[in-house]
Structures are given as C-alpha cells and as structure tokens.
Amino acid sequence: MTTSSTPLADAGYALGPLDGRYRGAVAPLVEHLSEAALNRERLRVEVEWLLHLTTTGAVPGARRPGDDEAAHLRGLVSGFGPQAVAEMAEIERETVHDVKAVEVWLRRQMAGTASADLTELVHFCLTSEDVNNLSYALMVQGAVHRTWLPAARALQVQLAGMAHDAAGAAMLARTHGQPATPTTLGKELAVTAARLDRQLRRVERTEVLGKLNGATGTYAAHAVAVPTTDWQEVSRTFVEGLGLVWNPLTTQIESHDWQAELYSDVARFNRVLHDLCTDVWSYISLGYFAQVRGMGTVGSSTMPHKVNPIRFENAEANLEVSSALLDVLASTLVTSRLQRDLTDSSMQRNAGTAFGHSLLAVENVRKGLAGLDVDEAAMARDLDANWEVLGEAVQSVMRAASVAGVAGMDDPYSRLKELTRGRRVDAEGMRAFVAGLGLPDEARDRLLALTPAGYTGLAAELARTV
C-alpha cells in the first residue's frame, strides 16, 4: 500500500540506524565503503591505468603525459566530492551502467585540456570487473587498516591493560555456572585479550588481491590490440603498484577468496568480543564490576537506582548483525556461475554495513569498559562463601602424599566429594577436615593456610603475559 504523501521520506530521514542514530560513530567508514567512495576508487583505477599504459609504453604511439597533466588527472581523484558524485549519478541515469558513468565523466573532464588526445586510453581493454575488483580491494583495505583495525586494536590494548591492573584480583570462577577453582579477574580478561589479538593479527596479515585481465580473464582484447606487449607483466606491475597482491588467474571476476577469508576473521573477532560482552554483563550482575562512572546516565525510566549495562547489550546486538552479514558475504562471494554472475555486485555493497555494525560495537565496548570499577570486596565475599572449592586442592595434596608413601591417603576424591558435594563448607569445617587427615606437617600447614582467595595458582602471572 502506498500513499501520495511521504513526509518522513521527503525530509530525508535515514532508513537504517547506521545512517541515522549511529551516524557519528560510523562516519569514518563512509570515506571508504560508501557508494561515493566506490566511484572515487573507480576513478582512481581508471586514471592510474591510463597513466600506467603511457609510462610503460604498453600502447605504442601513446605519449607520456607531463607532470602537470598527471597531477591534474590525479587531482580529479583527490578532489573527488559531492559535485562529482552528483554528475556521475546524472550520467548513470543515461547509461544505466555505473562503471560506464565513471568513464564518461573522466572523458568529459579531459576534454578541452592538454590530455584530450589521451581520451581513447580511458578504460582501454578493461572490463567493468577489472575496475570494480580493484576498487573494492582499495576500499576494503582502506576501511580495515585506517578505521576498523585501529579501533579494534585500541580495544584489545585497553582490555590487556585492564588484565594487568586486575592481575591479582582473586575471583571465584564458575564452570557450568557452578562455583569452581578460583582465578583472577585479570587472568580471565587476559584470555579474551589474547584471543582478540590473535584474530587481529590474522586480519593484519590479509592478502588483498586484485586482477586486471579482461572480460573472461584471458587478456583477449589486450593481446589482439597490441600483441607485442607483455600484458601479464603490465597487469602485475599495475596491480602491485596500487598496493595490492596480483591474482594472475581468474574468470571475469577476481575470485573474492581473500574477502571471504577477511570477513570470516572479522566475524570471529566479533564473536570473541560478543563472548566478552556476555561475561562482563554477568560480572556486573554478580557485583564484581561497579558502573559508578555511568551514574550520570538514566538506567531506567522508573527505577532511579539502576545503571544498566547498555553498552555491552548494544554491542551484543550489533556484533550479531555484523557477523551475520559477514557470514553471508564470506559464503556467497566465493561462488559465481560459470565465468561470472552479478550476485557479487549486490553482495559487496553490504560490506560497509557489516563493518559499520562491528565498529559501532567496538566503540560501545570501549566506552563500557572505561566506565567500570572492579569491586574486589564483592569478589572476596563470594570467595569466602565457597570454601568447598578448596576440595580440589586438598585431594591433590593427598594424592601427592600417597605417591610419596604417606599412609591413610586412600581414595581422596571420594572423601572430598562426601565432604563438599551438595553442601556449603565454611573455613572451620574445611580446616577441621584437613587437620584430621594425618598429612605430613608441611603439607597440612600449607593447606591450613590456604584460602579460596589464595588458591589462584599462576593466574596473576598469566594475566601479565598478554
């Protein structure tokens, strides 16, 4: 059902939250992954290809532009802005072809200039996918290395710093939701910091591939136009000159495997971060973290005492959206019917949305973590209420004593199970049990001095390794 009046649409309100509510947080990605950025990178590829053809002598008779001409042509790229975007959109309404619109626009810019005689080199022997695959490679590379990675790495460093600060903060662990061998808060944060670091190092090492080899990857037009030129070498030096890795063997499209690999790694980073969000949310619920630095916000419209962990909840939702999109991109982009179909064209346009939701989540987690204070007193109370977690320590010392030949250390696991399973054991009960075991003095005294807060093994040392 449609109506004749659309006041909200006419006012230009955004359909999606990334271009509306969260525009400020994701705006840096517009420079890399927007439709305007795509046309700018297409223009860059067209200009650089023209200059590459002339400087390499690939096309006999083509003169080499002077420095001023080259600077002017490259200036069309560096000065690319709203006017050029609008003009290309107008041309596209006539051509009904986005890459052709860029080509026509560039030819018009060259008309009447010193470079007018070089217009036949614009889009020379290129298929649209030669331009598009290189443009997307440059866009994604820029978005990842200039925007997403710096934010994600800053989060990982922030988390590692928190792990160091809380390295010795003893905390009751929970496995399957039940009280378990104590750890430290810092060690648990360090685990996630290390996991995030591993994924970021994978992203940093991503090979960004590009191809330039014609309509079906055979250099057919190139070879018939100028059979004396080594077109594979011209292609390789051009792609590598753009800062990309040359893919020599493709169909009409670059196979997109590198994109699938990258998106899978970013999605995995998202899921590790999601795991952190749910854990921090739980620690806040347990009182281990106090959100005292968020007291200026409104946690509930009716309950004044509440400070909700909204940063982490918001991040969870955005990470789920991002990961879902990245999964679809990774699974879809690696397939193409025969020598090409157009599904990749529509699919790649969603990369900005996928990275936008991830970037938004990263920023939310960073702000959420910055608003937390560790409540060691709350963790200490929890530890002191669960002396039964020392059952593992006692039975392990008994086993070691038995191996050393001490009598009366039979079946320590069952004896500790009888003492601790399904019941709470306080300090007095645990120490009375230890005193009656008949352990050697040194082992007995070591256990009598042990508390849940002191039973953290190498946790503090491990926390500082991240």
Side-chain angles (χ1 to χ4, degrees), residues 49-174:
W49 177 240
L50 183 154
L51 294 174
H52 190 70
L53 289 173
T54 61
T55 56
T56 59
V59 183
R63 70 175 182 82
R64 182 170 181 165
D67 291 344
D68 289 346
E69 288 179 78
H72 170 72
L73 290 170
R74 288 180 170 133
L76 297 175
V77 180
S78 61
F80 190 82
Q83 182 177 341
V85 172
E87 291 172 355
M88 286 185 186
E90 181 62 31
I91 296 170
E92 188 179 344
R93 281 189 280 274
E94 301 170 9
T95 63
V96 196
H97 195 288
D98 46 8
V99 176
K100 192 67 177 177
V102 176
E103 176 191 346
V104 171
W105 185 88
L106 177 56
R107 287 174 178 269
R108 290 179 181 177
Q109 299 305 306
M110 294 172 64
T113 71
S115 303
D117 62 316
L118 297 175
T119 54
E120 287 308 315
L121 289 180
V122 175
H123 206 69
F124 180 80
C125 289
L126 297 181
T127 184
S128 296
E129 184 56 21
D130 285 328
V131 177
N132 278 339
N133 90 94
L134 296 172
S135 298
Y136 272 110
L138 293 170
M139 291 163 63
V140 173
Q141 184 182 61
V144 169
H145 287 274
R146 297 175 192 169
T147 300
W148 186 85
L149 259 176
R153 178 56 75 185
L155 167 60
Q156 188 273 334
V157 170
Q158 178 184 4
L159 188 64
M162 292 178 66
H164 288 199
D165 292 342
M171 180 182 79
L172 183 68
R174 284 176 167 80

Side-chain angles (χ1 to χ4, degrees), residues 112-435:
T113 71
S115 303
D117 62 316
L118 297 175
T119 54
E120 287 308 315
L121 289 180
V122 175
H123 206 69
F124 180 80
C125 289
L126 297 181
T127 184
S128 296
E129 184 56 21
D130 285 328
V131 177
N132 278 339
N133 90 94
L134 296 172
S135 298
Y136 272 110
L138 293 170
M139 291 163 63
V140 173
Q141 184 182 61
V144 169
H145 287 274
R146 297 175 192 169
T147 300
W148 186 85
L149 259 176
R153 178 56 75 185
L155 167 60
Q156 188 273 334
V157 170
Q158 178 184 4
L159 188 64
M162 292 178 66
H164 288 199
D165 292 342
M171 180 182 79
L172 183 68
R174 284 176 167 80
T175 57
H176 308 280
Q178 307 303 307
T181 300
T183 180
T184 70
L185 177 60
K187 181 263 178 181
E188 301 311 310
L189 296 178
V191 169
T192 304
R195 294 175 69 194
L196 294 175
D197 175 64
R198 183 169 183 271
Q199 298 312 315
L200 291 178
R201 285 186 284 112
R202 289 174 62 93
V203 171
E204 289 164 350
R205 293 193 301 265
T206 299
E207 286 189 332
V208 181
L209 274 62
K211 74 98 182 180
L212 191 151
N213 51 18
T216 58
T218 63
Y219 299 94
H222 307 71
V224 75
V226 187
T228 56
T229 293
D230 184 349
W231 285 108
Q232 290 192 69
E233 180 64 11
V234 171
S235 171
R236 182 188 68 78
T237 54
F238 178 66
V239 172
E240 291 178 355
L242 293 174
L244 307 173
V245 176
W246 182 55
N247 188 345
L249 196 58
T250 75
T251 61
Q252 183 178 102
I253 67 167
E254 198 288 317
S255 304
H256 307 320
D257 295 345
W258 73 265
Q259 288 191 60
E261 292 158 3
L262 170 65
Y263 300 152
S264 293
D265 288 339
V266 175
R268 197 175 306 108
F269 173 93
N270 285 348
R271 292 185 170 107
V272 174
L273 188 57
H274 188 285
D275 193 31
L276 173 71
C277 290
T278 56
D279 277 356
V280 171
W281 188 97
S282 298
Y283 292 143
I284 292 170
S285 179
L286 291 167
Y288 293 177
F289 282 124
Q291 300 182 97
V292 294
R293 282 172 259 174
M295 291 298 281
T297 63
V298 175
S300 167
S301 62
T302 186
M303 293 176 281
H305 70 282
K306 292 185 72 181
V307 182
N308 295 335
I310 56 172
R311 294 289 185 188
F312 302 101
E313 293 169 341
N314 183 292
E316 285 183 46
N318 280 285
L319 290 166
E320 288 162 8
V321 173
S322 174
S323 296
L325 286 171
L326 291 167
D327 286 348
V328 171
L329 284 163
S331 63
T332 303
L333 288 177
V334 294
T335 62
S336 183
R337 294 175 184 85
L338 303 179
Q339 281 66 57
R340 98 97 12 124
D341 64 49
L342 205 62
T343 53
D344 64 328
S345 178
S346 297
M347 189 59 64
Q348 287 181 102
R349 282 182 161 88
N350 291 284
T353 306
F355 277 100
H357 283 286
S358 180
L359 182 64
L360 179 59
V362 166
E363 294 301 325
N364 268 295
V365 174
R366 289 178 67 186
K367 291 177 181 177
L369 293 176
L372 299 178
D373 279 340
V374 179
D375 190 340
E376 293 196 47
M379 293 192 291
R381 287 193 296 271
D382 227 0
L383 286 164
D384 198 48
N386 288 275
W387 278 74
E388 61 270 20
V389 297
L390 294 185
E392 178 195 43
V394 175
Q395 64 108 359
S396 296
V397 172
M398 291 175 67
R399 285 173 184 260
S402 178
V403 171
V406 177
M409 299 293 114
D410 300 334
D411 200 11
Y413 181 87
S414 296
R415 292 164 71 180
L416 267 299
K417 182 175 72 172
E418 182 180 349
L419 172 70
T420 60
R421 182 168 294 186
R423 67 183 72 176
R424 286 292 173 86
V425 180
D426 59 15
E428 183 179 352
M430 181 59 71
R431 285 169 177 156
F433 179 82
V434 168

Side-chain angles (χ1 to χ4, degrees), residues 16-78:
L18 293 185
D19 284 321
R21 183 182 185 90
Y22 303 124
R23 175 73 175 191
V26 301
L29 287 173
V30 175
E31 187 65 25
H32 304 289
L33 294 174
S34 62
E35 195 73 16
L38 173 57
N39 275 341
R40 183 196 62 217
E41 296 310 311
R42 285 167 169 161
L43 179 62
R44 186 188 308 280
V45 172
E46 295 280 10
V47 166
E48 293 300 330
W49 177 240
L50 183 154
L51 294 174
H52 190 70
L53 289 173
T54 61
T55 56
T56 59
V59 183
R63 70 175 182 82
R64 182 170 181 165
D67 291 344
D68 289 346
E69 288 179 78
H72 170 72
L73 290 170
R74 288 180 170 133
L76 297 175
V77 180
S78 61

